[in-house]
Amino acid sequence: MNNRFRLTLLIFLAIASTGCSRAAAPPAPHASHQRVTIKGHTFNLELALDDASRYQGLSDRPEIAPDTGMLFVFPRPRVLEFVMRRCLVPIDLIYLDPGGRVINTHQMAVEPYDRPDAELVHYASDWPAQFVIELRGGTLAQLQLKPADRIDLPVESLKARAR
């Protein structure tokens, strides 16, 4: 393989599998957040609006506070897959359609820290999703979300900010 092809392949792989990933510090105090209420519980969700923040996800965080998490916003809907790349704690995952309705959910288990990407479990959306919420593991059991439940998001303003 030539170097240009290898670089292109690496970039593609980095973008294709979103979710937890390489080492990172906790979010900066100025990071963008969105307050979201789900089934009466309010969460302060860090926004992942670009490829770099979506790839990083909640990787390398020693904990996720009960009322926090991450809201991933994609420029357009597509079938998505998330992985637990370098994640230290269990994470609950909610896939949402472009209108904020629940498509499906997953309870993602911690995997060995240095497991190669090709060996990680892939957690997929059942159909095209545009938003994904990651919460502290165990939260889904409390929320009891079902497919088609709606989560009130400022969908249009979030879509406009996604890169």
Side-chain angles (χ1 to χ4, degrees):
M1 276 191 244
N2 68 36
N3 286 339
R4 176 179 254 168
F5 178 76
R6 284 182 185 155
L7 178 60
T8 302
L9 180 61
L10 285 173
I11 291 170
F12 172 77
L13 290 173
I15 293 170
S17 291
T18 20
C20 295
S21 69
R22 290 189 205 126
H30 65 277
S32 188
H33 288 76
Q34 178 69 50
R35 291 185 69 86
V36 175
T37 300
I38 305 171
K39 296 274 188 154
H41 300 273
T42 301
F43 298 90
N44 189 31
L45 303 178
E46 182 181 342
L47 292 175
L49 300 168
D50 58 27
D51 288 337
S53 61
R54 288 187 293 261
Y55 183 80
Q56 178 59 41
L58 293 172
S59 298
D60 294 303
R61 306 225 183 149
E63 66 180 345
I64 301 169
D67 61 345
T68 67
M70 186 168 279
L71 172 59
F72 297 77
V73 184
F74 292 85
R76 63 198 146 276
R78 65 181 190 190
V79 173
L80 298 169
E81 289 186 341
F82 274 51
V83 297
M84 289 289 281
R85 183 183 306 106
R86 299 176 69 138
C87 292
L88 304 173
V89 296
I91 294 175
D92 287 348
L93 183 72
I94 306 166
Y95 283 113
L96 304 169
D97 73 8
R101 284 179 300 279
V102 175
I103 295 172
N104 61 310
T105 63
H106 293 282
Q107 296 173 325
M108 302 190 301
V110 174
E111 298 194 46
Y113 187 78
D114 56 354
R115 180 171 281 170
D117 281 9
E119 297 176 20
L120 294 170
V121 174
H122 289 246
Y123 299 89
S125 60
D126 288 344
W127 61 80
Q130 192 160 12
F131 304 99
V132 181
I133 296 175
E134 286 186 340
L135 301 171
R136 177 185 183 145
T139 305
L140 282 175
Q142 298 168 2
L143 298 176
Q144 298 185 6
L145 286 171
K146 298 178 296 303
D149 282 351
R150 189 165 194 291
I151 295 176
D152 190 27
L153 299 173
V155 294
E156 295 309 319
S157 68
L158 289 169
K159 289 177 192 178
R161 296 173 61 193
R163 301 182 293 280

